Amino acid sequence: MSEIYIVWSQDADKAQARLEQITDGESFRVLRRGDFSLVQAEDLDRQQSLDSGSERYCIVFEVLD
């Protein structure tokens, strides 16, 4: 069974270092990476996208077995 991790950081290099620490020789695949709002939601009634206005670097990855 694979595991999915999400790493957030203000610094992309720190996020990458944490990914490498977690995976340490294991096979993995990155599902998503980039700058994302800390809070994201969509108001379907008003058809508006809501966010916190504050972003962090994020890596979503899967550790494979």
Side-chain angles (χ1 to χ4, degrees):
M1 178 183 233
S2 62
E3 297 176 331
I4 295 190
Y5 291 83
I6 302 171
V7 176
W8 292 91
S9 180
Q10 291 182 15
D11 183 335
D13 292 333
K14 287 183 181 179
Q16 182 65 34
R18 185 67 176 132
L19 176 148
E20 291 170 9
Q21 182 183 34
I22 292 169
T23 57
D24 192 30
E26 306 245 359
S27 296
F28 68 94
R29 69 178 175 152
V30 173
L31 304 174
R32 189 124 191 224
R33 74 168 65 222
D35 292 315
F36 298 99
S37 297
L38 292 175
V39 176
Q40 290 181 308
E42 187 173 341
D43 185 338
L44 296 176
D45 295 327
R46 295 191 180 115
Q47 297 182 349
Q48 289 180 305
S49 181
L50 310 170
D51 65 57
S52 66
S54 181
E55 292 185 345
R56 296 289 185 271
Y57 190 78
C58 176
I59 303 174
V60 180
F61 62 98
E62 179 181 16
V63 177
L64 307 168
D65 16 341

